[in-house]
Amino acid sequence: MTVTKMSWRPSYRSSKFRNVYGKVANREHSYDGIPITKNVHDNHFCAVNTKFVAVVTESAGGGSFIIIPVSQSGRLDTHYPKVCGHQGNVLDIKWNPFFENIIASCSEDTSVRVWEIPEGGLRRNMTEAVLELYGHSRRVGLIEWHPTSSGILFSAGYDYKILIWNLEIGEPVKMIDCHTDVVLSMSFNTDGSLMATSCKDKMLRVIEPRSGRVLQQANCKNHRVNRVVFLGNMKRLLTTGVSRWNTRQIALWDQEDLSMPMVEEDIDGLSGLLFPFYDADTHMLYIAGKGDGNIRYFEITTEKPFIQYLMEFRSPAPQKGLGVMPKHGLDVAACEVFRFYKLVTLKGLIEPVSMIVPRRSDTYQEDIYPMTAGTEPALSASEWLSGIDRDPVLISLKDGYHRPNQLVFKAPVKEKKSVVVNGIDLLENVPPRTENELLRMFFRQQDELRRLKEELTTKDVRIRQLELELNNLKNVSPNKPDL
């Protein structure tokens, strides 16, 4: 297969998306005063759904993130409550696509945790997770929800393993162990029957997740892959990476033949990581660079040249990461087809950026809003694990999608496991790794000792009272007359 090198020279092509433009929300509709994390891990540190914006924050000791209701824009209070149960830095957060109050997080403390956020947001710090999932031996850098099943979560750790968690039982049900280095990204096809991964070992893989079998793989020597995304049902993969001359690139692949990319496109000579975002409804691809202020967008077609450059949104403020609003949360009256939530670390700001198709008519534009995936799962975790595949349950955005999800997330009740050696529970008494953890453990033990002493004093007083009552009964009984 010959690799097509694309040119930046614009070629006219009739497209309804060629005039799409980016519109930045004004200051009143942005989120200000947020201590965005300074962690250099290559993730978005932001997750968005129709109810909440979640952002990983800077914190002393342990890791935390904040949950802001979407409607609560403006400046954030300094003492705004946080989700702060992790013992190490939080590296990734993702909302459950079917339960909008459920969010998963992973951390350097080797755990994956699932949290249930109350309606209206947090009123006090949250430290207790609905589920705490331990299975990785090193820090966990990446998590992804299955696109059609309600209770399947994937996690990738620095132990080079991907674990599949069944949240109906709260246990890992499969380990994918085909990678020889850290997994950089995971992406699923529309029905979740295939998974593509990019890895630090310079390999691009297409995997059948239930069996862990590698269906296709490519050794990317000339195009070092950083991120990969499935292009809907087109049987194509899109990767971002670096060329042999250290220029940033995107490449298009046939998912059934990874021997050579179909198209390679040089972007520029900057060094920041490129994040790809694909909208299967409009076939538009958005490319945003970490540390850049701009977002390029393209249209993907089934015919040559396959990738058609459309336009570029430019901004002077560099982005650390980007959250994306689900399709059913967009403003269809304004012809909004995509919405980013841009993290600007230097300003402590989250800035919504709307991608809008300019139309004169105020009526519903059916050609840019086809049926899209909603918030109803197509199958349960046990059904997917048994080998069933189903496409997402589709909805129409014509009258605005505000149907509440009647599903309720039920966390499994897990028995407490213990590993006792010499009378010490090793799972309960995990040794501290840092000075902050040691101090926290010391103060917790001091509080526990104080409580136990108070309890002991109370019991001593009660014992003395009972002894006196017993003595009184003994003294009274000999003086009773015989009946």
Side-chain angles (χ1 to χ4, degrees):
M1 185 187 293
T2 57
V3 179
T4 307
K5 289 282 185 181
M6 293 182 63
S7 170
W8 277 105
R9 191 173 298 164
S11 57
Y12 177 78
R13 178 180 169 275
S14 178
S15 169
K16 55 190 148 191
F17 302 113
R18 69 178 181 271
N19 293 319
V20 168
Y21 65 95
K23 182 180 179 183
V24 181
N26 55 31
R27 199 77 177 199
E28 295 82 45
H29 293 97
S30 299
Y31 307 85
D32 200 0
I34 297 166
I36 299 168
T37 181
K38 295 181 175 64
N39 196 313
V40 295
H41 189 73
D42 286 330
N43 263 343
H44 293 297
F45 300 112
C46 180
V48 184
N49 66 15
T50 58
K51 290 184 178 180
F52 302 108
V53 178
V55 186
V56 179
T57 57
E58 196 70 13
S59 61
S64 64
F65 56 97
I66 57 172
I67 306 289
I68 311 167
V70 168
S71 57
Q72 191 179 313
S73 54
R75 189 160 190 85
L76 203 69
D77 181 30
T78 312
H79 304 292
Y80 196 83
K82 298 178 180 178
V83 180
C84 49
H86 280 289
Q87 307 298 315
N89 290 328
V90 176
L91 299 180
D92 197 12
I93 48 176
K94 294 278 166 58
W95 289 105
N96 188 312
F98 310 111
F99 302 96
E100 296 202 310
N101 289 58
I102 299 295
I103 189 169
S105 62
C106 63
S107 165
E108 290 180 350
D109 64 8
T110 74
S111 74
V112 177
R113 304 193 185 201
V114 179
W115 312 82
E116 185 168 11
I117 308 302
E119 286 294 334
L122 300 178
R123 289 165 182 80
R124 61 183 66 86
N125 284 352
M126 178 178 280
T127 56
E128 293 295 322
V130 174
L131 280 174
E132 294 184 15
L133 309 172
Y134 290 94
H136 290 280
S137 59
R138 296 183 66 188
R139 60 180 171 168
V140 187
L142 189 62
I143 49 176
E144 290 288 348
W145 293 94
H146 190 273
T148 60
S149 175
S150 56
I152 295 291
L153 180 66
F154 292 74
S155 64
Y158 276 63
D159 52 6
Y160 312 158
K161 295 173 175 58
I162 296 175
L163 294 183
I164 304 177
W165 300 89
N166 180 358
L167 300 189
E168 291 177 358
I169 60 172
E171 295 288 344
V173 290
K174 177 68 186 174
M175 181 176 72
I176 299 173
D177 193 14
C178 59
H179 300 89
T180 59
D181 211 322
V182 178
V183 178
L184 300 175
S185 67
M186 297 184 283
S187 178
F188 297 93
N189 65 345
T190 306
D191 63 3
S193 60
L194 295 176
M195 175 174 69
T197 65
S198 60
C199 183
K200 215 169 181 180
D201 63 8
K202 300 179 183 177
M203 299 289 283
L204 172 66
R205 295 175 175 88
V206 176
I207 302 168
E208 204 288 311
R210 279 175 293 231
S211 66
R213 189 162 55 97
V214 178
L215 303 178
Q216 289 282 332
Q217 65 180 20
N219 191 349
C220 309
K221 292 180 180 177
N222 297 332
H223 170 77
R224 295 197 302 276
V225 174
N226 285 323
R227 293 290 183 271
V228 60
V229 64
F230 263 101
L231 300 182
N233 284 325
M234 299 178 75
K235 295 192 174 183
R236 302 277 190 270
L237 296 173
L238 190 286
T239 59
T240 65
V242 182
S243 73
R244 64 198 304 179
W245 296 282
N246 284 332
T247 57
R248 298 197 294 187
Q249 268 189 341
I250 59 175
L252 187 70
W253 307 76
D254 181 346
Q255 76 178 39
E256 296 174 350
D257 179 14
L258 298 184
S259 58
M260 188 175 289
M262 299 168 63
V263 175
E264 285 181 353
E265 167 74 29
D266 288 342
I267 300 296
D268 56 33
L270 299 179
S271 59
L273 179 76
L274 290 176
F275 293 116
F277 302 88
Y278 180 66
D279 181 1
D281 296 342
T282 60
H283 304 298
M284 284 182 67
L285 171 73
Y286 301 87
I287 300 291
K290 185 176 180 180
D292 299 359
N294 56 353
I295 300 171
R296 297 178 177 90
Y297 33 106
F298 305 79
E299 188 173 8
I300 306 295
T301 60
T302 54
E303 301 171 355
K304 287 187 178 182
F306 302 118
I307 303 176
Q308 181 71 37
Y309 175 74
L310 293 174
M311 198 80 75
E312 182 176 358
F313 164 77
R314 296 191 178 189
S315 165
Q319 58 231 4
K320 182 180 182 67
L322 293 159
V324 174
M325 174 65 77
K327 204 76 176 190
H328 54 272
L330 301 180
D331 183 1
V332 295
C335 296
E336 183 184 31
V337 290
F338 217 75
R339 189 191 306 164
F340 292 101
Y341 285 75
K342 175 177 168 178
L343 301 190
V344 185
T345 312
L346 298 176
K347 298 179 181 178
L349 183 69
I350 304 176
E351 200 174 57
V353 179
S354 297
M355 296 297 169
I356 294 173
V357 180
R359 294 281 171 98
R360 290 200 178 117
S361 174
D362 293 333
T363 59
Y364 179 70
Q365 307 292 312
E366 290 192 23
D367 60 325
I368 60 175
Y369 294 115
M371 298 285 282
T372 189
T375 57
E376 186 179 338
L379 66 171
S380 66
S382 53
E383 286 176 325
W384 182 78
L385 290 168
S386 70
I388 301 171
D389 291 318
R390 289 197 194 115
D391 286 331
V393 179
L394 301 181
I395 57 166
S396 171
L397 303 178
K398 185 166 186 178
D399 300 316
Y401 181 72
H402 301 294
R403 185 175 64 82
N405 195 334
Q406 302 299 321
L407 296 172
V408 177
F409 182 81
K410 292 181 180 178
V413 178
K414 299 176 70 176
E415 293 182 8
K416 183 181 178 298
K417 296 181 180 178
S418 62
V419 180
V420 179
V421 178
N422 296 332
I424 299 172
D425 187 346
L426 297 181
L427 293 182
E428 184 70 27
N429 299 280
V430 181
R433 296 186 183 88
T434 64
E435 189 176 344
N436 284 330
E437 285 185 30
L438 185 64
L439 283 171
R440 282 201 303 274
M441 185 174 286
F442 171 74
F443 288 125
R444 276 203 305 269
Q445 288 175 345
Q446 291 296 308
D447 290 340
E448 183 70 10
L449 284 172
R450 195 177 300 111
R451 187 186 64 78
L452 289 172
K453 283 178 181 178
E454 290 172 357
E455 192 176 326
L456 192 60
T457 304
T458 307
K459 287 185 177 178
D460 281 342
V461 172
R462 181 62 180 152
I463 289 169
R464 283 198 292 272
Q465 288 174 350
L466 290 172
E467 285 175 346
L468 288 171
E469 288 178 15
L470 190 59
N471 286 333
N472 289 339
L473 287 172
K474 284 179 181 177
N475 291 333
V476 169
S477 54
N479 299 327
K480 281 188 179 179
D482 294 333
L483 298 174

